[in-house]
Every structure is written in structure tokens, then in C-alpha cells.
């Protein structure tokens, strides 16, 4: 029964988020959240909003305070920043703004499957260009037309990519952007964990748009806040597509406090990268193939190919990892970097299996 929605909506599966158990004590290593509490400045900022009359009024439609801080951090003008209800909101705004019904989006594959869902919701089509086995990307990603000879309206690249955690160097991204006939969105949801980023490319190329998330690196997945960096004439267009009040007063306050505490970010990042490197070495010692990651998760495959049974056995012991299956590519386990104690328990459990 399709309840009389648009037939193309009834025909698609929709995006399936990772499992989010709302009770019980799980070791949760499946959706790349930060295992630590956010900066204490966040609680202070949120309490201040709760205490006053702020919640009785609509929030600032453009989250100006946050824009000013993010702009200062990245060395651009506030007019170059657009805030969103999580970076997923920005991805929605971008796909709706650039890709019309029946038009084409290109994504690298395997990557964040939401890009394809957003194209489908728009009545648009999505071309998936495969990574090479070493997770590099050939020039086909920048081809002028789709394989079927139709014009391309937008390309999206997660960098660092999920599930691989690999990151193309900015020079390579710049080259792809130059060759592409359309704008390129560089989804840097994990950019704070990587050695390099592409925000500088935006300065020289108005067709490059970078999105960032506060969910992972700032430990704020629960409040929903992200931002895009793009040239002001692009931001001006995107603003028309967003909900008037897409970021609420509590999340604006929380996100502003978080981005102001760069020393918290540096300390948290250093801890997670150390744990990630330890996890990588330990998994390899247990016979797994692990891709060198520039994010807060690692992509692991085992020569036996028995990924789903391992996922199930861990789940039975209240440890959640992500078992990903990419048709046409293969499957594997994506494991989020937890606390040291969580990773110790995970490794001991895996060893016992
Ligand atoms: C987590 C994730 C996002 C979504 O981030 P939110 O800010 O929580 O919406 C976007 N892109 C990629 C690749 C992600 O992994």
C-alpha cells in the first residue's frame, strides 16, 4: 500500500540509519560518534539559553554568532558559511539546489549512501563511480557526462571517505574539481581527524563546496549541527533552499561554544588518533586487513569473508559494530574508535571469538 504518496517515493527504500539502541549498556562502535563528552563549555552555553527567555523567540535564521566564529577559524568572511541541522541538512539543501528532477548526481562508491537517497528523493539519478581497490579515484570521477551521455549537475565526495577512512590529498581533489563540469561537494564530516582538508580550495574555486559536521569531532551528534563553506554568491542561493529556522537556539549555542574550544578539539583528537592506531595494529595482529584511516573509524575485512557472523557474535555480547555490504564491491566491518577501555573490551571479545 503506497498511501497515495508520489509513486517515485513509494518505489524507493529510503535511507536506513545505523542501529541506535536507546536503552541498555552497549559498547557502541557502529555510527562513528565520539565516545567522550563534549567540551564543558557546551553545557554552560546551553544552560544560559535555558535560563533566559531565549526559547520563547525564534532563533537567528543564519546562526550569525556561529558563522562569525567558524569564519574566523577558517580565515574567511562569515558570508562564506552556511549552517545546517547537521551536515545531512546541508547535503539535502545542496542536492535540492543543484540537481533537478531527472538530472544527474555523481558519487564515489562505496561511500555515504545517503547521497544516492537524496538524489532519489529529488526524482534525480545517481551515478556511482567506483574507487580503485586501493581507494584512490581515477579521472572517470571527473568525466564530463554520465556513462549514458547525459550532463552532470553535481558530484559529491566524502573526504575522508566512509567506510574506508581514506582521504584524497587536496591537490587531487582540486584536479578533479577542475576537470568536473559541475560543482563538487567535499563532505568533510571527518575532516577534523585528517591530516589535510579542502577548505582552501573553496577560496580559489567557486565550484568547490565543503561541508563539516559537529557530530563526530566535537562530540555533538545529539544536537544536530553542521556547516558548509562556499563562496558568498553560492551561499546566497543556498539560503533560499533552507528552512527559515533550520538551526534551533540550543544547538546554535552548543555549536558556538564547541567550536570556540579548539583546545578541547586538539586534546580529544589526539586521544582518538592514538586509540585508532592501536586498534589498527591489534586488528592486523588478529589477521584482519585494515585500511590506514584518517578518520575516527577503521574499515576491516577478513580473508575468511565471515563478516556478518562476527558482527552477530559481537552484538550478542552487546558490542555494536557496523557490518556494511556494498553490492558490486563487497562487505566488511566498520569499527568506530571508542574509548581505550571500549576498544580493549572489543579486542578481547574478538580474540575470544
Ligand atoms: C556522519 C556523516 C554525516 C552526517 O553528519 P551530521 O552532521 O550528523 O548530519 C555526513 N557525511 C558523512 C560521510 C558522515 O559519515
Amino acid at each position: 500500500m503506497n498511501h497515495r504518496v508520489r509513486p517515485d517515493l513509494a518505489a524507493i527504500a529510503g535511507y536506513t540509519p545505523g542501529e541506535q539502541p536507546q536503552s541498555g549498556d552497549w559498547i557502541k562502535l557502529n555510527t562513528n560518534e565520539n565516545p567522550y563528552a563534549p567540551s564543558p563549555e557546551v553545557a554552560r552555553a546551553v544552560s544560559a539559553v535555558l535560563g533566559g527567555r531565549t526559547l520563547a523567540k525564534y532563533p537567528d535564521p543564519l546562526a550569525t554568532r556561529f558563522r562569525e566564529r567558524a569564519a574566523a577559524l577558517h580565515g574567511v568572511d562569515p558570508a562564506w558559511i552556511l549552517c545546517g541541522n547537521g551536515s545531512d541538512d546541508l547535503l539535502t539543501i545542496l542536492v535540492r539546489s543543484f540537481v533537478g528532477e531527472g538530472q544527474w548526481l555523481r558519487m564515489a562508491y562505496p561511500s555515504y549512501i545517503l547521497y544516492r537517497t537524496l538524489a532519489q528523493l529529488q526524482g534525480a539519478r545517481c551515478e556511482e563511480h567506483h574507487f580503485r581497490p586501493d581507494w584512490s579515484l581515477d579521472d572517470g570521477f571527473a568525466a564530463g557526462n554520465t556513462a549514458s551521455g547525459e550532463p552532470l549537475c553535481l558530484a559529491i565526495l566524502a573526504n575522508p571517505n566512509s567506510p574506508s577512512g581514506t582521504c584524497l590529498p587536496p591537490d587531487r581533489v582540486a584536479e578533479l574539481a577542475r576537470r568536473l563540469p559541475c560543482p563538487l561537494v567535499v563532505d568533510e564530516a571527518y575532516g577534523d581527524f585528517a591530516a589535510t582538508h579542502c577548505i582552501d580550495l573553496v577560496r580559489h574555486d567557486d565550484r568547490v563546496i565543503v561541508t563539516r559536521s559537529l557530530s563526530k569531532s566535537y562530540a555533538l551528534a545529539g544536537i544536530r549541527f553542521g556547516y558548509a563553506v562556499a563562496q558568498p554568491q553560492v551561499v546566497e542561493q543556498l539560503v533560499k533552499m533552507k528552512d527559515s529556522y533550520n538551526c534551533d537556539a540550543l544547538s546554535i549555542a552548543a555549536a558556538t561554544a564547541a567550536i570556540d574550544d579548539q583546545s578541547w578539539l586538539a586534546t580529544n583528537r589526539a586521544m582518538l588518533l592514538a586509540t585508532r592506531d592501536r586498534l589498527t595494529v591489534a586488528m592486523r595482529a588478529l589477521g584482519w586487513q585494515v585500511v590506514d584511516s584518517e578518520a575516527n573509524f577503521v574499515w576491516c575485512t577478513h580473508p575468511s569473508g565471515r563478516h556478518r557472523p562476527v558482527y552477530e557474535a559481537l552484538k550478542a555480547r552487546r558490542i555494536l559494530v557496523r557490518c556494511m555490504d556494498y553490492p558490486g564491491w563487497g562487505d566488511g566491518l566498520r569499527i568506530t574508535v571508542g574509548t581505550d577501555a571500549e576498544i580493549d573490551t572489543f579486542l578481547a571479545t574478538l580474540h575470544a571469538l
Side-chain angles (χ1 to χ4, degrees), residues 31-32 84-89 91 111-112 114-115 158-162 187-190 211-216 220-221 224-227 297 334:
T31 49
N32 299 345
N85 181 31
S87 60
D88 283 353
D89 180 35
L91 294 169
S111 187
Y112 191 32
L114 179 71
Y115 309 146
N159 204 48
N161 185 48
S162 170
D187 177 349
E188 292 191 349
Y190 303 101
T211 59
R212 288 284 179 103
S213 170
L214 273 77
S215 297
K216 282 94 181 210
L220 288 177
R224 315 302 306 129
F225 202 94
Y227 61 100
F297 56 86
R334 195 190 67 188

Short mmCIF file of all heavy atoms in Angstrom, two decimals, residues 31-32 84-89 91 111-112 114-115 158-162 187-190 211-216 220-221 224-227 297 334, ligand 1:
data_model
loop_
_atom_site.label_atom_id
_atom_site.label_comp_id
_atom_site.label_asym_id
_atom_site.label_seq_id
_atom_site.Cartn_x
_atom_site.Cartn_y
_atom_site.Cartn_z
N THR A 31 28.32 3.90 14.69
CA THR A 31 27.94 5.07 13.88
C THR A 31 28.89 6.25 14.07
O THR A 31 28.48 7.41 13.88
CB THR A 31 26.46 5.48 14.08
OG1 THR A 31 26.18 5.57 15.47
CG2 THR A 31 25.51 4.48 13.46
N ASN A 32 30.13 5.95 14.40
CA ASN A 32 31.21 6.95 14.37
C ASN A 32 30.99 8.16 15.27
O ASN A 32 31.50 9.25 15.01
CB ASN A 32 31.49 7.41 12.93
CG ASN A 32 31.94 6.26 12.05
OD1 ASN A 32 32.31 5.21 12.56
ND2 ASN A 32 31.91 6.45 10.75
N GLY A 84 23.65 24.36 9.17
CA GLY A 84 22.58 23.39 8.94
C GLY A 84 22.28 22.53 10.15
O GLY A 84 23.09 22.44 11.09
N ASN A 85 21.12 21.90 10.11
CA ASN A 85 20.67 21.00 11.16
C ASN A 85 21.39 19.66 10.97
O ASN A 85 20.82 18.69 10.50
CB ASN A 85 19.14 20.86 11.02
CG ASN A 85 18.53 19.96 12.06
OD1 ASN A 85 19.02 19.86 13.18
ND2 ASN A 85 17.47 19.27 11.70
N GLY A 86 22.68 19.65 11.30
CA GLY A 86 23.53 18.52 10.96
C GLY A 86 24.03 18.71 9.53
O GLY A 86 23.41 19.45 8.74
N SER A 87 25.13 18.05 9.18
CA SER A 87 25.57 18.25 7.80
C SER A 87 24.66 17.51 6.83
O SER A 87 24.61 17.84 5.65
CB SER A 87 27.06 17.90 7.60
OG SER A 87 27.31 16.60 7.91
N ASP A 88 23.87 16.54 7.31
CA ASP A 88 22.87 15.91 6.44
C ASP A 88 21.89 16.96 5.87
O ASP A 88 21.47 16.86 4.72
CB ASP A 88 22.05 14.86 7.21
CG ASP A 88 22.82 13.55 7.41
OD1 ASP A 88 23.92 13.40 6.85
OD2 ASP A 88 22.30 12.69 8.14
N ASP A 89 21.54 17.95 6.70
CA ASP A 89 20.63 19.02 6.25
C ASP A 89 21.29 19.80 5.10
O ASP A 89 20.64 20.12 4.10
CB ASP A 89 20.33 19.94 7.44
CG ASP A 89 19.40 21.10 7.12
OD1 ASP A 89 18.48 20.93 6.28
OD2 ASP A 89 19.58 22.18 7.71
N LEU A 91 23.56 18.64 3.06
CA LEU A 91 23.60 17.78 1.88
C LEU A 91 22.25 17.80 1.17
O LEU A 91 22.17 17.86 -0.06
CB LEU A 91 23.98 16.35 2.28
CG LEU A 91 25.41 16.19 2.81
CD1 LEU A 91 25.61 14.82 3.44
CD2 LEU A 91 26.44 16.43 1.71
N SER A 111 30.58 4.64 -0.61
CA SER A 111 30.68 5.85 0.21
C SER A 111 29.37 6.01 0.98
O SER A 111 28.66 5.02 1.21
CB SER A 111 30.98 7.05 -0.69
OG SER A 111 31.25 8.18 0.08
N TYR A 112 29.08 7.26 1.35
CA TYR A 112 27.91 7.54 2.18
C TYR A 112 26.66 7.40 1.30
O TYR A 112 26.45 8.19 0.38
CB TYR A 112 28.05 8.95 2.71
CG TYR A 112 27.09 9.38 3.80
CD1 TYR A 112 26.59 8.48 4.74
CD2 TYR A 112 26.69 10.71 3.92
CE1 TYR A 112 25.74 8.90 5.75
CE2 TYR A 112 25.85 11.14 4.92
CZ TYR A 112 25.37 10.23 5.83
OH TYR A 112 24.53 10.64 6.83
N LEU A 114 23.64 7.93 1.76
CA LEU A 114 22.62 8.98 1.80
C LEU A 114 22.62 9.82 0.52
O LEU A 114 21.57 10.30 0.09
CB LEU A 114 22.83 9.90 3.01
CG LEU A 114 21.84 11.06 3.14
CD1 LEU A 114 20.44 10.55 3.52
CD2 LEU A 114 22.29 12.10 4.15
N TYR A 115 23.79 10.00 -0.11
CA TYR A 115 23.83 10.83 -1.34
C TYR A 115 22.87 10.27 -2.38
O TYR A 115 22.15 11.01 -3.05
CB TYR A 115 25.24 10.87 -1.95
CG TYR A 115 26.37 11.25 -1.01
CD1 TYR A 115 27.63 10.68 -1.17
CD2 TYR A 115 26.18 12.15 0.03
CE1 TYR A 115 28.69 11.02 -0.32
CE2 TYR A 115 27.23 12.48 0.89
CZ TYR A 115 28.48 11.90 0.70
OH TYR A 115 29.51 12.22 1.53
N ALA A 158 32.98 12.15 -0.27
CA ALA A 158 33.25 12.15 1.18
C ALA A 158 34.76 12.03 1.33
O ALA A 158 35.37 11.10 0.82
CB ALA A 158 32.54 10.99 1.86
N ASN A 159 35.37 12.98 2.05
CA ASN A 159 36.82 13.02 2.17
C ASN A 159 37.22 13.57 3.54
O ASN A 159 37.10 14.78 3.75
CB ASN A 159 37.39 13.92 1.04
CG ASN A 159 38.83 13.60 0.71
OD1 ASN A 159 39.16 12.42 0.51
ND2 ASN A 159 39.69 14.60 0.65
N PRO A 160 37.68 12.73 4.48
CA PRO A 160 37.86 11.29 4.41
C PRO A 160 36.57 10.56 4.02
O PRO A 160 35.48 11.01 4.36
CB PRO A 160 38.28 10.91 5.83
CG PRO A 160 38.86 12.15 6.41
CD PRO A 160 38.15 13.27 5.78
N ASN A 161 36.77 9.44 3.34
CA ASN A 161 35.61 8.65 2.90
C ASN A 161 35.14 7.72 4.01
O ASN A 161 35.91 7.32 4.87
CB ASN A 161 36.03 7.82 1.67
CG ASN A 161 34.87 7.07 1.05
OD1 ASN A 161 33.82 7.64 0.81
ND2 ASN A 161 35.05 5.78 0.81
N SER A 162 33.86 7.39 3.98
CA SER A 162 33.32 6.31 4.79
C SER A 162 32.82 5.26 3.81
O SER A 162 32.16 5.64 2.84
CB SER A 162 32.18 6.83 5.66
OG SER A 162 31.53 5.75 6.27
N ASP A 187 32.52 16.41 1.27
CA ASP A 187 31.89 16.15 2.57
C ASP A 187 33.00 15.82 3.57
O ASP A 187 33.54 14.72 3.59
CB ASP A 187 30.90 14.98 2.42
CG ASP A 187 30.25 14.59 3.75
OD1 ASP A 187 30.70 15.05 4.82
OD2 ASP A 187 29.29 13.78 3.70
N GLU A 188 33.34 16.83 4.39
CA GLU A 188 34.41 16.66 5.38
C GLU A 188 33.83 16.43 6.77
O GLU A 188 34.27 17.03 7.76
CB GLU A 188 35.35 17.87 5.37
CG GLU A 188 36.16 17.97 4.08
CD GLU A 188 37.29 19.01 4.16
OE1 GLU A 188 37.34 19.80 5.13
OE2 GLU A 188 38.11 19.02 3.22
N ALA A 189 32.86 15.52 6.87
CA ALA A 189 32.30 15.17 8.18
C ALA A 189 33.41 14.69 9.12
O ALA A 189 33.33 14.87 10.33
CB ALA A 189 31.22 14.10 8.04
N TYR A 190 34.46 14.09 8.55
CA TYR A 190 35.59 13.59 9.35
C TYR A 190 36.84 14.43 9.14
O TYR A 190 37.94 14.01 9.48
CB TYR A 190 35.85 12.12 8.99
CG TYR A 190 34.64 11.26 9.20
CD1 TYR A 190 33.85 10.87 8.13
CD2 TYR A 190 34.24 10.88 10.48
CE1 TYR A 190 32.70 10.11 8.31
CE2 TYR A 190 33.09 10.14 10.68
CZ TYR A 190 32.33 9.76 9.59
OH TYR A 190 31.20 9.02 9.79
N THR A 211 31.54 20.64 3.25
CA THR A 211 30.62 20.54 4.39
C THR A 211 31.35 19.95 5.59
O THR A 211 32.23 19.10 5.45
CB THR A 211 29.37 19.70 4.07
OG1 THR A 211 29.78 18.38 3.69
CG2 THR A 211 28.55 20.31 2.96
N ARG A 212 30.99 20.44 6.75
CA ARG A 212 31.57 19.99 8.01
C ARG A 212 30.45 19.63 8.99
O ARG A 212 29.37 20.18 8.91
CB ARG A 212 32.42 21.11 8.64
CG ARG A 212 33.74 21.38 7.92
CD ARG A 212 34.74 20.29 8.28
NE ARG A 212 36.02 20.48 7.61
CZ ARG A 212 37.12 20.96 8.21
NH1 ARG A 212 37.06 21.38 9.47
NH2 ARG A 212 38.24 21.04 7.55
N SER A 213 30.79 18.75 9.94
CA SER A 213 29.81 18.31 10.93
C SER A 213 30.37 18.51 12.32
O SER A 213 31.56 18.34 12.54
CB SER A 213 29.52 16.82 10.71
OG SER A 213 28.75 16.32 11.77
N LEU A 214 29.51 18.87 13.29
CA LEU A 214 29.97 18.90 14.68
C LEU A 214 29.67 17.58 15.38
O LEU A 214 29.98 17.41 16.55
CB LEU A 214 29.34 20.08 15.43
CG LEU A 214 30.16 21.38 15.27
CD1 LEU A 214 29.93 22.01 13.92
CD2 LEU A 214 29.89 22.36 16.39
N SER A 215 29.06 16.64 14.64
CA SER A 215 28.62 15.39 15.27
C SER A 215 29.76 14.52 15.76
O SER A 215 29.68 13.91 16.81
CB SER A 215 27.79 14.57 14.27
OG SER A 215 26.64 15.28 13.91
N LYS A 216 30.81 14.42 14.98
CA LYS A 216 31.85 13.45 15.29
C LYS A 216 33.00 14.09 16.06
O LYS A 216 33.24 13.77 17.20
CB LYS A 216 32.34 12.79 14.01
CG LYS A 216 31.39 11.71 13.48
CD LYS A 216 30.41 12.20 12.47
CE LYS A 216 29.47 11.10 12.00
NZ LYS A 216 29.04 11.30 10.62
N LEU A 220 29.04 16.06 19.26
CA LEU A 220 27.72 16.67 19.38
C LEU A 220 26.69 16.04 18.43
O LEU A 220 25.80 16.74 17.93
CB LEU A 220 27.81 18.18 19.11
CG LEU A 220 28.48 19.02 20.21
CD1 LEU A 220 28.57 20.49 19.79
CD2 LEU A 220 27.73 18.90 21.53
N ALA A 221 26.76 14.74 18.20
CA ALA A 221 25.80 14.10 17.30
C ALA A 221 24.37 14.31 17.78
O ALA A 221 23.43 14.38 16.98
CB ALA A 221 26.11 12.60 17.16
N ARG A 224 22.74 17.97 16.49
CA ARG A 224 22.49 18.24 15.07
C ARG A 224 22.97 19.61 14.64
O ARG A 224 22.21 20.60 14.66
CB ARG A 224 20.98 18.10 14.73
CG ARG A 224 20.27 16.90 15.31
CD ARG A 224 20.91 15.60 14.88
NE ARG A 224 21.03 15.52 13.45
CZ ARG A 224 22.18 15.21 12.79
NH1 ARG A 224 23.28 14.93 13.45
NH2 ARG A 224 22.19 15.16 11.49
N PHE A 225 24.22 19.69 14.25
CA PHE A 225 24.73 20.95 13.72
C PHE A 225 25.87 20.68 12.74
O PHE A 225 26.75 19.88 13.02
CB PHE A 225 25.24 21.87 14.85
CG PHE A 225 25.27 23.33 14.46
CD1 PHE A 225 24.20 24.16 14.74
CD2 PHE A 225 26.37 23.85 13.79
CE1 PHE A 225 24.21 25.50 14.36
CE2 PHE A 225 26.40 25.20 13.42
CZ PHE A 225 25.32 26.02 13.71
N GLY A 226 25.81 21.33 11.61
CA GLY A 226 26.89 21.26 10.63
C GLY A 226 26.96 22.57 9.88
O GLY A 226 26.11 23.46 10.07
N TYR A 227 27.98 22.73 9.06
CA TYR A 227 28.08 23.96 8.26
C TYR A 227 28.76 23.67 6.94
O TYR A 227 29.48 22.68 6.79
CB TYR A 227 28.78 25.08 9.04
CG TYR A 227 30.21 24.81 9.46
CD1 TYR A 227 31.29 25.33 8.74
CD2 TYR A 227 30.49 24.05 10.59
CE1 TYR A 227 32.61 25.10 9.14
CE2 TYR A 227 31.79 23.82 11.00
CZ TYR A 227 32.85 24.34 10.27
OH TYR A 227 34.14 24.11 10.66
N PHE A 297 37.36 5.95 12.58
CA PHE A 297 36.87 4.57 12.42
C PHE A 297 37.85 3.85 11.51
O PHE A 297 38.68 4.50 10.84
CB PHE A 297 35.45 4.56 11.81
CG PHE A 297 35.37 5.31 10.51
CD1 PHE A 297 35.67 4.70 9.30
CD2 PHE A 297 35.01 6.65 10.50
CE1 PHE A 297 35.62 5.40 8.11
CE2 PHE A 297 34.96 7.37 9.30
CZ PHE A 297 35.27 6.73 8.11
N ARG A 334 32.95 -1.92 9.72
CA ARG A 334 33.45 -0.58 10.02
C ARG A 334 33.37 -0.39 11.53
O ARG A 334 32.28 -0.49 12.12
CB ARG A 334 32.61 0.48 9.29
CG ARG A 334 33.29 1.85 9.27
CD ARG A 334 32.36 2.94 8.78
NE ARG A 334 31.28 3.15 9.75
CZ ARG A 334 30.23 3.93 9.54
NH1 ARG A 334 30.10 4.57 8.38
NH2 ARG A 334 29.30 4.07 10.46
C1 LIG B 1 28.06 11.23 9.87
C2 LIG B 1 28.18 11.70 8.46
C3 LIG B 1 27.45 12.80 8.01
C4 LIG B 1 26.32 13.40 8.80
O1 LIG B 1 26.70 14.24 9.76
P1 LIG B 1 25.61 15.02 10.62
O2 LIG B 1 26.27 16.34 10.83
O3 LIG B 1 25.44 14.24 11.89
O4 LIG B 1 24.34 15.12 9.84
C5 LIG B 1 27.68 13.27 6.73
N1 LIG B 1 28.55 12.66 5.92
C6 LIG B 1 29.25 11.58 6.31
C7 LIG B 1 30.20 10.93 5.36
C8 LIG B 1 29.07 11.06 7.58
O5 LIG B 1 29.70 9.95 7.96
#
